[in-house]
Amino acid sequence: MATFPKAFAALLLLALAACGSDRLSQLNQGTKAPVSRSFEDPDGLVVGHRLMNAGEYELALSAYYRAGAEQGLTVDVLSALGSANLKLGRLGQAEDLLRRAVKKDEKFPPAWNNLGVILMEKGNYGEAARVFKIAFALDSGNSAEIKKNLNLAMDRIKIPGYGPEEEQEYNFDLVRRGSGQYLLLGTP
């Protein structure tokens, strides 16, 4: 029995002696981190457009705010912010942002189109038709989506006695233009 405590004490001394050696200190160094490859942060607009496609509107809005902080409030950023707010049902904020976008660049069809959709949602059919006409003219009639939105607005104006009992349900959707700029489509 007396040999067990002596053997245990000897083993403990060996373990403590090993802790002080240089061989064990190398274990605490860990592995070296790989050399970082330089890469550019993705553009907030690109990330936001991808998130919009995925239906992640809150995250897209955050990405657009980041793009605005990096690039400034360009017409693209303002239009994107307005589109994200529209998808989130924040019509007042979306309208303000899109009005700022068309004021900044009066020749940007997606911002005009998106503003028209907001006006349609708010029931301002006359102004929406005027805004869609501007978008359609600026786009030189190339966008079937803008033409469809214009036709919907014109139909709403032409219906006499238009009321809730006769109301036809239209859903408007954002449509990507080019490298991630969105247009809004109306679908019955």
Side-chain angles (χ1 to χ4, degrees), residues 109 135-148 177 183:
F136 187 72
L138 289 172
D139 194 48
S140 301
N142 291 328
S143 172
E145 293 85 8
I146 294 175
K147 183 178 182 180
K148 186 175 180 181
R177 179 186 150 232
L183 302 174

Side-chain angles (χ1 to χ4, degrees), residues 98-119:
L98 288 166
R99 286 193 187 275
R100 286 176 60 190
V102 298
K103 191 179 273 190
K104 186 172 279 275
D105 183 357
E106 295 177 352
K107 296 182 181 190
F108 191 64
W112 282 105
N113 182 69
N114 294 357
L115 178 59
V117 171
I118 291 168
L119 295 169

Side-chain angles (χ1 to χ4, degrees), residues 51-93:
L51 288 166
M52 288 286 283
N53 279 341
E56 296 291 339
Y57 307 122
E58 283 289 346
L59 293 174
L61 190 61
S62 296
Y64 293 145
Y65 281 131
R66 188 184 72 163
E70 292 170 354
Q71 302 172 13
L73 292 177
T74 64
V75 66
D76 290 323
V77 171
L78 288 169
S79 182
L81 287 168
S83 299
N85 276 299
L86 175 64
K87 281 302 219 176
L88 290 167
R90 301 171 184 159
L91 298 182
Q93 291 175 2

